[in-house]
Amino acid sequence: MLLLLVAFFGGLLTVLSPCVLPVLPVLLSGSVGGRGRPVGIIAGFIGSFVLLTLFLATLVNALGLSVDALRWGAVALLLLFGLTLAVPALQLRFELLAARALPQGRGSGGDGFLGGVLVGVTLGVVWTPCVGPILASVTTLALSGEVTGFAAAVTLAYALGVAIPMLAVMWGGRQLLHRPALMRRLGGIQRAFGVVLMLFAVGMVFGMDRRIQTALVENLPALQQLTFLEETPAVQRQLERTLP
């Protein structure tokens, strides 16, 4: 229980980490689009982050892929969704296709949920936070093929901790954008978010997101202390006992 709580609060604190800044444009894209988009982004993020943390090595070996292949797939999806935000006609076409593909989930395509899920999946792929000892231990277990139920629970607790402030940012952005003064410009703001999302994808092609993360970590040492909860003696003892 101690490790689960610390993992959850560690996820909450991660939003203050400099590692979050490079992926902020992807997160803020949830402020525009259909009403279901923010929830879709969170669902996609949690699912992909947990699965990739626990089973990335297994997935790569089973499919004969490289880690970079997943990254290039994420780049392609970001370009696609940036384009759908920038060009309203394409967004409408995508939502119609999504609604046809999911007849049992009536409205899940048209309200932006499905598009949000796919954006969230890409966010889980490119998410490289400054994780502390707990997630580092889980990743080591996953790489050795020793994934346990408790390791999965710890990873899920961390992802939920990250997801809560993410959702708050997106909902807060939506409330701000729906003020009367901005409603008249909502179409232009959405297109601008689409352009920013495409620029972020292009930046990933040249590794700019990784460079920014490295520079921020090196130049903002104070923010590296966000793992203080995980470094307490009690947590370290429990970590060695539970996730060796």
Side-chain angles (χ1 to χ4, degrees):
M1 182 59 69
L2 175 63
L3 290 185
L4 289 174
L5 288 173
V6 172
F8 176 77
F9 284 108
L12 287 173
L13 290 174
T14 299
V15 298
L16 302 176
S17 168
C19 297
V20 175
L21 296 180
V23 299
L24 197 56
V26 183
L27 181 59
L28 289 177
S29 71
S31 299
V32 295
R35 289 178 298 176
R37 188 179 180 88
V39 177
I41 289 177
I42 294 302
F45 166 75
I46 291 176
S48 66
F49 179 80
V50 172
L51 291 176
L52 289 176
T53 298
L54 298 175
F55 303 111
L56 178 60
T58 303
L59 180 65
V60 166
N61 292 331
L63 300 179
L65 299 174
S66 66
V67 177
D68 284 339
L70 295 176
R71 180 177 170 86
W72 289 120
V75 170
L77 285 175
L78 286 176
L79 281 171
L80 173 63
F81 289 108
L83 191 61
T84 61
L85 285 177
V87 183
L90 290 179
Q91 183 181 14
L92 179 60
R93 183 177 293 273
F94 173 79
E95 290 176 350
L96 289 174
L97 290 174
R100 292 175 183 173
L102 296 173
Q104 73 281 7
R106 192 172 183 179
S108 62
D111 69 356
F113 178 82
L114 180 60
V117 168
L118 295 178
V119 172
V121 168
T122 66
L123 187 60
V125 173
V126 303
W127 183 262
T128 52
C130 303
V131 296
I134 293 181
L135 262 292
S137 297
V138 169
T139 302
T140 300
L141 283 177
L143 291 175
S144 65
E146 300 179 6
V147 176
T148 65
F150 184 70
V154 168
T155 306
L156 179 60
Y158 175 86
L160 289 172
V162 175
I164 289 175
M166 278 186 176
L167 191 59
V169 167
M170 288 186 285
W171 276 345
R174 295 182 75 84
Q175 291 296 320
L176 179 64
L177 292 177
H178 282 77
R179 289 184 176 181
L182 294 176
M183 279 293 292
R184 295 187 296 271
R185 302 181 177 87
L186 195 56
I189 293 172
Q190 178 170 313
R191 288 191 290 272
F193 270 115
V195 172
V196 170
L197 208 56
M198 288 189 289
L199 289 175
F200 177 80
V202 172
M204 285 182 62
V205 172
F206 297 99
M208 293 300 297
D209 59 317
R210 290 171 173 171
R211 294 178 190 173
I212 293 173
Q213 288 168 357
T214 301
L216 288 172
V217 170
E218 291 176 350
N219 293 291
L220 296 173
L223 293 179
Q224 297 180 36
Q225 305 304 316
L226 294 174
T227 59
F228 67 93
L229 286 175
E230 300 176 53
E231 294 171 354
T232 58
V235 172
Q236 287 297 308
R237 287 193 298 270
Q238 189 65 35
L239 191 60
E240 292 175 1
R241 190 179 304 120
T242 311
L243 296 172

